[in-house]
Amino acid sequence: MSHFILDLCSRDKTEDQVRRLNEDVDEFARRGLRSLAVAIEELDDVEQGGSGFRLIGLLPIYDPPRADTKETIDRAIALGVQVKMITGDQLAIAKETGRRLGMGDTMFLSKALKDGPPAGSGYSTIDELVLQADGFAGVYPEHKYEIVQRLQAMNYMVAMTGDGVNDAPALSKSNVGIAVADASDAARSAADIVLTEPGLSVIIEALIHSRQIFQRMRNYSIYTCSVTIRVVVGFAVMCFAYRFNFPPFMVLILAILNDGTIMTISTDRVRPSPFPDQWNLFEIFSYAVLYGLYLAASTVVFFAVVYHTTFFQSRFGVQSFTSPNDGMLHSVVYLQVSTISQALIFVTRSQSWFFLERPSLLLMCAFVFAQLIATFISVYANWGFTRITGCGWSW
């Protein structure tokens, strides 16, 4: 801006004055200060005009970032988000601001988007420059739009903050456009999210909450697939191997209790991922198949031990079974399936050992309630219509 004022000055302007102004502007920029030139014109007669503008001084202006900006950027970087500064200020101002905010000073002028990476920069293509640079200075609206477009073309999710009319095209183009408080109407209408209070820290909170939601959805997907595989495979093996005819009504009760418990995972306490998330269906189905087959095998082995051996009878004094479709045996198998299936929730929700991550109180209460219901059904239910006989407390 100071150079525009200097161009208007026609009186008492010397090469030494121009040189000194440029040196002062550069010095202020290296310190992160904007420069505003001041010129005056003396008018003896308004109708006849003055004698021309004369430069009288240079004002440094400090426009500090918001109080929470550095903390927000540090938290974003810790969450695996690459933060870039795109500004219309001078390159020296952008670099100094980047250093103060801890986001780096590998920044370039906007002309690099047209002319290519500067010599000695270490980048061979514009796409590489855009991806690796910490920011760009001296940009116009079309440059912001191009930067967003290039990042998206490289399959990156791009979020952008802005407040002015010149930010509207890039806000609209980005995957998540965020208009800050007091933004112009054009920026608000182009953005996906509009902040109503000053500061940017709320963006990090939204990022953390979104990753928590993603983690809960992932846990739910693994659990439901695992339980489906365990029920289908486990009962299919026992049906064909032992002519075991498990009552369909008890499968319905099992599904109702499992679904009621797993619904509480929507409010579960989870740790957000330290890196950006994406759906990995191969990982989800791999875990689901592994857990499902393990649970199915545990049920088949449990049934075989109860039916073919005297292990439980000799050690615990419980009743033996001569028929695979004994009503009491149905109750025992139902209790084993229900207990292990719901205990799987604590495994699928954890990113490490399940006992190291505390679940929410609601999930624990739902689990305990469901287990009490399943236990009382197995112990006391004598339902002839579904061939269930209470197994008593000995089992």
Side-chain angles (χ1 to χ4, degrees), residues 206-224:
L207 191 62
I208 292 175
H209 285 305
S210 66
R211 294 189 183 184
Q212 289 176 331
I213 292 173
F214 181 92
Q215 191 66 35
R216 293 181 184 121
M217 293 174 61
R218 175 184 176 276
N219 297 342
Y220 174 82
S221 300
I222 295 177
Y223 175 77
T224 53

Side-chain angles (χ1 to χ4, degrees), residues 246 250 326-336 374 377-379 381 387-391:
F246 192 71
M250 300 310 297
D326 188 289
M328 186 178 295
L329 182 57
H330 286 167
S331 294
V332 173
V333 171
Y334 165 75
L335 183 59
Q336 192 269 351
I377 290 176
S378 297
V379 172
R387 289 175 295 174
I388 284 290
T389 302
C391 62

Side-chain angles (χ1 to χ4, degrees), residues 49-342:
S51 57
F53 284 98
R54 179 170 62 90
L55 183 67
I56 64 171
L58 190 65
L59 295 178
I61 299 176
Y62 180 50
D63 184 15
R66 297 179 185 271
D68 65 340
T69 300
K70 187 179 189 312
E71 179 187 0
T72 300
I73 292 176
D74 291 340
R75 295 177 66 189
I77 294 175
L79 289 172
V81 178
Q82 186 177 1
V83 183
K84 298 180 183 295
M85 179 191 301
I86 306 175
T87 177
D89 288 333
Q90 293 175 269
L91 180 60
I93 296 177
K95 288 186 175 182
E96 177 60 23
T97 304
R99 283 191 288 267
R100 292 182 179 181
L101 296 178
M103 57 182 297
D105 58 358
T106 307
M107 302 186 185
F108 303 91
L109 290 171
S110 59
K111 65 179 182 180
L113 297 173
K114 179 180 180 181
D115 301 337
S121 64
Y123 305 116
S124 56
T125 64
I126 297 179
D127 285 346
E128 185 181 0
L129 175 70
V130 170
L131 179 61
Q132 300 298 333
D134 296 320
F136 292 89
V139 300
Y140 290 96
E142 59 269 23
H143 299 132
K144 299 179 182 180
Y145 185 92
E146 181 182 355
I147 291 171
V148 172
Q149 188 177 42
R150 285 183 177 275
L151 290 172
Q152 289 177 331
M154 290 184 279
N155 296 322
Y156 285 93
M157 297 287 290
V158 182
M160 175 180 171
T161 62
D163 61 354
V165 176
N166 59 341
D167 296 320
L171 286 172
S172 178
K173 177 63 176 174
S174 61
N175 299 100
V176 182
I178 304 172
V180 300
D182 301 326
S184 63
D185 291 339
R188 288 171 177 265
S189 52
D192 302 295
I193 300 174
V194 178
L195 305 184
T196 59
E197 296 181 358
L200 301 175
S201 58
V202 67
I203 298 176
I204 303 302
E205 298 303 323
L207 191 62
I208 292 175
H209 285 305
S210 66
R211 294 189 183 184
Q212 289 176 331
I213 292 173
F214 181 92
Q215 191 66 35
R216 293 181 184 121
M217 293 174 61
R218 175 184 176 276
N219 297 342
Y220 174 82
S221 300
I222 295 177
Y223 175 77
T224 53
C225 292
S226 301
V227 170
T228 301
I229 292 172
R230 82 98 78 235
V231 170
V232 172
V233 174
F235 288 138
V237 170
M238 290 191 294
C239 178
F240 287 107
Y242 298 102
R243 302 296 181 185
F244 181 72
N245 186 15
F246 192 71
F249 182 77
M250 300 310 297
V251 177
L252 177 62
I253 297 297
L254 181 69
I256 292 175
L257 292 179
N258 283 351
D259 290 344
T261 304
I262 197 61
M263 284 176 61
T264 61
I265 208 171
S266 61
T267 60
D268 188 24
R269 181 186 291 106
V270 296
R271 292 189 301 180
S273 170
F275 302 102
D277 292 306
Q278 62 178 353
W279 281 109
N280 188 339
L281 296 181
F282 177 79
E283 177 191 39
I284 291 175
F285 284 116
S286 297
Y287 278 120
V289 170
L290 179 64
Y291 293 146
L293 293 180
Y294 172 77
L295 295 182
S298 69
T299 300
V300 173
V301 171
F302 174 76
F303 178 86
V305 171
V306 171
Y307 185 63
H308 285 298
T309 71
T310 60
F311 176 82
F312 289 100
Q313 291 82 354
S314 60
R315 285 169 173 76
F316 303 101
V318 294
Q319 177 182 338
S320 59
F321 304 103
T322 58
S323 171
N325 292 304
D326 188 289
M328 186 178 295
L329 182 57
H330 286 167
S331 294
V332 173
V333 171
Y334 165 75
L335 183 59
Q336 192 269 351
V337 171
S338 177
T339 302
I340 291 189
S341 294
Q342 295 202 16

Side-chain angles (χ1 to χ4, degrees), residues 2-38:
S2 57
H3 293 89
F4 292 114
I5 300 298
L6 182 62
D7 293 339
L8 294 176
C9 296
S10 58
R11 187 158 55 97
D12 300 335
K13 184 168 68 172
T14 64
E15 292 184 2
D16 181 64
Q17 185 186 54
V18 173
R19 179 185 57 79
R20 290 168 53 197
L21 181 134
N22 290 330
E23 290 177 353
D24 290 342
V25 169
D26 292 340
E27 175 61 24
F28 289 149
R30 284 191 292 270
R31 294 159 56 187
L33 303 175
R34 293 188 175 95
S35 300
L36 180 63
V38 180

